[in-house]
Every structure is written in C-alpha cells, then in structure tokens.
Amino acid sequence: SPEGGGLSADHISLLLNEDATRESIIKTIGDKLNRAFEDDMVIIYIACHGMPDPVGNEVYFLGYDAKPENLAGTAVSQIDIEKALTRTRAKKKLWIADACHSGGVGLGIRGNYAYLTNKLLSEIAASKEGLAMLTASSASEFSKEGEHWGGGHGVFTHFLIRGLKGSADSSGDGIVSVRELYEYVYRGVAEETGGQQHPELKGTFDNNMPMSVIK
C-alpha cells in the first residue's frame, strides 16, 4: 500500500482461491524472483494448509487444485519454492508461512503433521543464506483462525498486518524492522491464544531489515 512504501502494482502478485493453483503459484514466484536485483528484497507469503511428505523430508503446500492423496503431482513442494529462492539475485529474502491450520478437515492429517511441517520449515531457514523465515507456529502447534481475527484471518496474519501498519514500531523511528515485527507478532499471538501458539523467526538475516515504513 502507499502507507507501507508505495510499491507499484507490477511488483506484487496476489493469488487467492481458484487463482492459487499449483501451476500459477510456481510460475508467479519464479517470474517475480527472477526480476529481482541484488539490492532488492523479495517476500513470499503463503497462507494455506501445509502437509509433510508421508515418505520423505519435504513439505507440500496445498493450493486450490491440490489433492492430499497425490501431493507430489498436485501440491506445491518446498523444493519448488527453494529453487526460485536459490536462483534469485536478491540478497534479502523473507518467507512468511502460515501453513499449519487447525481446520484441516478431510485432509487425512496425521497427529504429528504439525510437528513435522514446522520442523521442516525450520530446516529450510537454517540451510539458506540470507533467508529469514517467519512461521505462524512452532513445534507441534496448529495455527488458529477465526472470524474474530480480522474477519477470518489466522491470528498470526491478524497481528502481522497490525504490526506492519505501525503497531510493531517499538523504536518509534517510523520503520518496522523484521525483528520488531516478529516480537510484536509473537507477543500478540501468544497472548491471544492463551499460550497455545508461538510464531518463530529463523534464518541468517539482518535484524534491522525494514518491513514497512510508517507515514
């Protein structure tokens, strides 16, 4: 938005509902990250169901056309996204993942799927230079969502948006850094869920990396 820094529309792609197919997600991420230069920052934000590969160490993200019984053929693999992150020239990369929703009805979810998903996401952050990964929950926690959080957001996304709009600017310098954003979101989510959900920030990055400008 103009309040957050005023990026032109061609710098941003938003895929919702039927537009968020496996093909469109992979193509859009690849196209956007290929356009970035070394001094640019790229941000990938994914809010969907995430499921671990039943036979391997890999996370799949379920887009509109994903079929849980055929993850490899219909869902977006972490490797699909990692390829784009590896190829981009941008030195500053942020991946925000809200991928362990508790409302996984009909997905054939195993009891430990949240633990495996969060564990694998943490491993991605540890292995990629210059990548910060902000996840909605930790360990075996699920991400809570509901109408009372911004009309249907997850509680994580609810506080993420509030923080970017200025509530996370604890230093009062008019800039929300990635560390300020994380600390604000962590406190808000933990308090709102009664200690049942704790976001995590991992990776190798500059804590002062700016996320938004307050105007």
Side-chain angles (χ1 to χ4, degrees):
S1 66
E3 294 82 8
L7 293 175
S8 57
D10 67 334
H11 284 67
I12 303 168
S13 290
L14 176 64
L15 301 175
L16 301 173
N17 303 320
E18 63 272 12
D19 293 328
T21 63
R22 179 180 187 273
E23 179 181 3
S24 62
I25 292 170
I26 294 173
K27 182 179 186 303
T28 299
I29 290 176
D31 289 349
K32 278 289 183 287
L33 269 60
N34 284 340
R35 292 176 52 192
F37 291 95
E38 287 191 359
D39 292 335
D40 291 333
M41 177 170 66
V42 295
I43 300 173
I44 298 173
Y45 170 78
I46 295 181
C48 64
H49 287 290
M51 292 184 68
D53 187 341
V55 296
N57 293 323
E58 192 173 348
V59 171
Y60 286 92
F61 301 94
L62 278 61
Y64 183 80
D65 56 345
K67 295 179 175 58
E69 68 275 11
N70 181 22
L71 291 175
T74 63
V76 179
S77 165
Q78 70 181 65
I79 294 176
D80 294 322
I81 301 175
E82 286 182 276
K83 284 180 181 178
L85 288 168
T86 300
R87 292 170 179 167
T88 184
R89 290 166 289 186
K91 297 299 184 184
K92 297 184 287 293
K93 293 165 284 208
L94 174 64
W95 184 349
I96 304 172
D98 191 354
C100 279
H101 297 292
S102 55
V105 177
L107 295 179
I109 290 173
R110 305 189 306 276
N112 64 343
Y113 106 97
Y115 168 76
L116 291 171
T117 298
N118 286 321
K119 178 177 179 290
L120 291 167
L121 289 174
S122 295
E123 290 176 359
I124 295 171
S127 65
K128 298 297 178 186
E129 184 70 27
L131 172 66
M133 175 162 280
L134 178 57
T135 56
S137 53
S138 61
S140 56
E141 300 171 344
F142 285 103
S143 302
K144 299 182 181 297
E145 55 190 339
E147 289 297 321
H148 49 294
W149 291 311
H153 286 307
V155 61
F156 169 78
T157 294
H158 173 68
F159 282 101
L160 185 76
I161 293 171
R162 286 179 57 175
L164 288 169
K165 288 183 175 180
S167 295
D169 182 20
S170 58
S171 67
D173 64 356
I175 297 174
V176 175
S177 70
V178 67
R179 176 59 61 177
E180 286 178 319
L181 181 61
Y182 164 68
E183 291 178 352
Y184 173 80
V185 172
Y186 181 94
R187 289 193 302 271
V189 170
E191 291 174 4
E192 192 77 5
T193 62
Q196 296 182 46
Q197 183 178 335
H198 301 84
E200 288 192 344
L201 176 64
K202 294 189 175 181
T204 305
F205 54 89
D206 181 358
N207 280 312
N208 294 317
M209 185 165 64
M211 292 293 98
S212 64
V213 177
I214 312 306
K215 296 182 178 180

